[in-house]
Amino acid sequence: MPVNPDFAGRTFPPSEPYEVSRVKIAEFAQAIGDLSPLCRDRAAAQAAGYPDVIAPPTFAIVITMASSGHAIADDELGLDYSMVVHGEQRFEHARPLHAGDVVVAQTTITDITPRRTMTMLTTRTEITTTGGEHVCTALSTLVERGA
Amino acid sequence: MVKYADVETGTELEPKRYQVTRLDLVKYAGASGDFNPIHTNERIARSVGLPDVIAHGMFTMAEAGRFASEWAGDPGAVVEFGVRFSSPVVVPDDDQGATIVIGGTVEEKLDGNKVVLALVARSNDTKVLTRARAVVVLP
């Protein structure tokens, strides 16, 4: 089933609030081998001017995927996830995410373009605190390979 | 820590090597919540036409992010970061795993103490990230 082009431009409802925790930041930093004390030690992060430990720059994908994953799993979109590869990714941070942030993510499918046997699908996910402060914009390009 | 005033356009940053084993991919799957089995299960990876298990693209991007943030001395310094995943990092089932070599060049100095790093990541002599740019704020 081809990808439904009518989904281009559709904005999905915001996610449930996600609370950024010190434990999750430390786990993510460990998994990518980032040994910075700013991701682990609250006192070190505060000495560097942050309210609490900060997340590495790609941590926002954890929150982004939970939101965009919900959007692209919509049955009526018709995307075959087993054939999807990640084409491009971009983050624009207003500030780093830090422990204690409570954020919501809202995803828009910005474009759907068939290209030969493939389909390119781009999403834009806005990550905002529950208080309305914009923290990060995540832009993703997914490629559905032809069968 | 690198200072904005000391940075010159065109400066090349010394490349670093990052090892990635199957166990690293299991850890990254758990930490990120991306449980696509092509990153942990060889049978499933091959069944969809891949040569073997491949690393999460986001794992490779995270290593490039580390390269930029370790240079700056602060993971919060990377304010903009974009990459294109040009080729997968194939991770064999042995103790060595795969090697990702990441290097970079100071491409431009911007206002507001920002510099643009052009990054290159290779594995097995193949470019695995292209159009990789990180905008980093320096003191």
Side-chain angles (χ1 to χ4, degrees):
Chain A
M1 188 173 72
V3 179
N4 182 351
D6 294 346
F7 273 68
R10 186 173 302 197
T11 297
F12 291 79
S15 64
E16 291 294 309
Y18 176 95
E19 183 171 347
V20 179
S21 75
R22 262 179 240 162
V23 172
K24 192 67 190 178
I25 288 176
E27 180 193 11
F28 189 88
Q30 189 71 27
I32 66 169
D34 189 328
L35 302 177
S36 172
L38 304 188
C39 300
R40 289 177 174 73
D41 179 348
R42 190 182 190 190
Q46 288 179 334
Y50 299 112
D52 206 322
V53 292
I54 58 165
T58 63
F59 179 86
I61 198 68
V62 175
I63 301 157
T64 303
M65 273 189 53
S67 169
S68 64
H70 187 71
I72 64 174
D74 193 307
D75 277 346
E76 289 176 25
L77 173 62
L79 191 74
D80 178 0
Y81 196 67
S82 72
M83 298 304 283
V84 167
V85 294
H86 203 165
E88 293 181 42
Q89 182 63 43
R90 179 174 172 76
F91 299 102
E92 297 165 3
H93 293 283
R95 64 160 173 82
L97 285 155
H98 61 75
D101 271 331
V102 181
V103 294
V104 292
Q106 185 160 30
T107 295
T108 301
I109 295 179
T110 46
D111 188 53
I112 297 173
T113 304
R115 192 172 291 175
R116 294 191 295 276
T117 62
M118 304 186 300
T119 303
M120 317 279 283
L121 181 145
T122 58
T123 61
R124 176 186 190 93
T125 301
E126 299 290 359
I127 299 175
T128 311
T129 67
T130 50
E133 180 194 2
H134 176 252
V135 181
C136 177
T137 300
L139 305 159
S140 308
T141 302
L142 301 175
V143 182
E144 186 195 61
R145 299 180 293 147
Chain B
M1 196 177 264
V2 183
K3 295 227 170 11
Y4 178 79
D6 299 335
V7 172
E8 288 180 29
T9 300
T11 301
E12 295 210 13
L13 314 187
E14 179 146 356
K16 290 187 181 175
R17 300 166 68 85
Y18 301 86
Q19 290 302 125
V20 45
T21 65
R22 292 282 180 91
L23 182 58
D24 292 321
L25 299 183
V26 172
K27 287 183 192 169
Y28 184 79
S32 68
D34 183 347
F35 293 103
N36 187 333
I38 62 171
H39 305 304
T40 49
N41 185 309
E42 187 170 329
R43 174 177 55 83
I44 292 174
R46 290 188 193 278
S47 78
V48 296
L50 294 166
D52 202 336
V53 161
I54 62 168
H56 303 73
M58 285 307 304
F59 179 88
T60 306
M61 184 177 187
E63 299 312 291
R66 236 180 98 187
F67 181 85
S69 68
E70 286 175 359
W71 178 72
D74 179 353
V78 181
V79 291
E80 289 176 37
F81 187 24
V83 305
R84 178 165 177 265
F85 303 102
S86 50
S87 198
V89 174
V90 178
V91 181
D93 183 17
D94 58 28
D95 297 337
Q96 194 74 17
T99 305
I100 304 168
V101 182
I102 300 174
T105 308
V106 177
E107 190 173 69
E108 195 180 351
K109 290 181 81 171
L110 307 175
D111 293 341
N113 276 29
K114 291 177 183 174
V115 302
V116 181
L117 298 181
L119 304 171
V120 177
R122 286 190 177 81
S123 186
N124 273 327
D125 294 326
T126 303
K127 276 189 185 178
V128 293
L129 300 178
T130 54
R131 295 188 218 156
R133 297 284 185 283
V135 178
V136 178
V137 183
L138 298 177

